[in-house]
Amino acid sequence: MYQHRDPVAASSLFSVGKKIDVSVDQIISLINRMEADGIVEHYAIGGAVGATFYLEPVATLDVDIFVAVPQKPGQVLLDLRPIHDYLTARGGVVEGEYIVLAGWPVQFLPPTSPLVEEALADAVTVDVDGTPARVFAAEHLAAVALQTGRAKDKARLLQFVEAGVLKAEHFQAILARHGLVDRWREFERTFLRTMP
Amino acid sequence: MSFDLQRIIESKREMRRRLAGRPVAEKLAMLDALRDRARTILKAATRLETALLRESQPEYRVNPRKD
């Protein structure tokens, strides 16, 4: 159980009682154990939950966790069954593409592009009240949002820009490596010209 | 009553900045609360949609007057 320390900043805005169940950090602990047990080589949190490490929290219904899984020689397709087996043995419930852990639908995603592979390899470790959590770097989250390009991804990218958390040089280098420079220019033309 | 839109926008921006600067553990706790709210809204929206779909056409039958 987690208790807010600052009654003004958080509890008044998200007052759901004096105590709040922090289930996301329970998920992080479980994934850390899964990594230590060798089920995944490494992991990183992406999506809206990943963005929350850098931005204000945004409502989301699921948790996206990108994973690199050990592969046997000659294996072509990634097999996520060991993850499912490991987690269902620890109380997880499979629901379609998701595994429900601590009340959250969690989706495990293999890296599907060189950009996501790089994001996974370069993920940063953040301390969450004593628990290490691996999360995509802000610049990678922003680049993935640009690449994915749905309306909500564009909104998230704007949040990153507005929050001023992107290191420009690092971000531009990622865009150049993954052929996203033109898309970024288009994004700038469309959304950032009139920004105060 | 007058609204200073610029001031409203700036105060929203300030709140977002303040929230973004909170400790990660606290922000993750907020995600739980936000998710619960989103679920409540989704449930309500689904109920409303179902109710609207089930709403039958009003009847315009005129009963003949019995004089």
Side-chain angles (χ1 to χ4, degrees):
Chain A
M1 293 288 246
Y2 179 80
Q3 196 160 11
H4 288 304
R5 278 169 249 152
D6 183 344
V8 176
S11 300
S12 60
L13 292 167
F14 297 93
S15 53
V16 289
K18 293 292 175 200
K19 285 182 175 180
I20 293 177
D21 278 320
V22 182
S23 44
V24 177
D25 70 352
Q26 292 168 16
I27 295 168
I28 293 168
S29 298
L30 190 51
I31 306 305
N32 282 338
R33 280 206 298 278
M34 187 168 74
E35 186 183 43
D37 289 341
I39 307 299
V40 293
E41 280 175 357
H42 46 275
Y43 79 91
I45 303 165
V49 177
T52 296
F53 281 71
Y54 305 96
L55 305 170
E56 75 274 20
V58 182
T60 182
L61 295 170
D62 61 2
V63 183
D64 291 333
I65 297 182
F66 292 85
V67 287
V69 292
Q71 279 182 276
K72 291 169 193 148
Q75 187 183 340
V76 181
L77 292 172
L78 287 175
D79 186 7
L80 297 179
R81 263 178 311 177
I83 296 175
H84 287 207
D85 294 344
Y86 183 92
L87 294 172
T88 49
R90 287 157 183 80
V93 176
V94 177
E95 278 186 17
E97 297 292 305
Y98 293 94
I99 300 181
V100 180
L101 300 171
W104 278 90
V106 181
Q107 191 158 36
F108 290 92
L109 302 155
T112 47
S113 71
L115 171 61
V116 178
E117 267 174 34
E118 183 184 281
L120 186 54
D122 293 353
V124 295
T125 303
V126 178
D127 180 272
V128 181
D129 262 7
T131 304
R134 281 184 56 84
V135 59
F136 281 176
E139 293 77 13
H140 276 118
L141 282 166
V144 170
L146 181 68
Q147 189 178 57
T148 311
R150 298 163 300 181
K152 68 175 182 177
D153 299 303
K154 287 173 183 164
R156 187 174 302 152
L157 184 49
L158 276 172
Q159 284 178 278
F160 272 109
V161 172
E162 198 183 37
V165 292
L166 301 176
K167 291 181 193 116
E169 206 176 314
H170 187 200
F171 183 55
Q172 291 297 335
I174 293 169
L175 297 183
R177 270 199 301 279
H178 298 281
L180 292 167
V181 173
D182 286 345
R183 199 180 283 202
W184 171 247
R185 286 200 188 117
E186 178 62 29
F187 182 85
E188 274 187 312
R189 265 197 301 277
T190 311
F191 296 105
L192 302 179
R193 268 197 181 160
T194 55
M195 211 169 126
Chain B
M1 196 173 182
S2 68
F3 291 101
D4 182 346
L5 186 61
Q6 204 49 49
R7 198 176 57 80
I8 293 167
I9 290 171
E10 189 42 52
S11 75
K12 282 180 185 292
R13 195 173 284 151
E14 176 51 33
M15 186 179 78
R16 288 176 53 201
R17 263 198 293 266
R18 222 157 32 88
L19 286 171
R22 302 304 303 168
V24 171
E26 195 172 313
K27 292 197 285 180
L28 293 180
M30 290 177 196
L31 282 186
D32 281 280
L34 284 168
R35 180 200 54 171
D36 291 344
R37 285 181 186 184
R39 278 178 174 171
T40 305
I41 292 165
L42 277 174
K43 269 185 205 161
T46 309
R47 273 200 300 271
L48 177 66
E49 198 179 344
T50 310
L52 287 172
L53 285 171
R54 282 186 187 162
E55 193 173 287
S56 56
Q57 289 290 322
E59 292 180 22
Y60 293 106
R61 249 181 291 160
V62 178
N63 293 326
R65 281 174 63 183
K66 291 174 186 170
D67 291 322

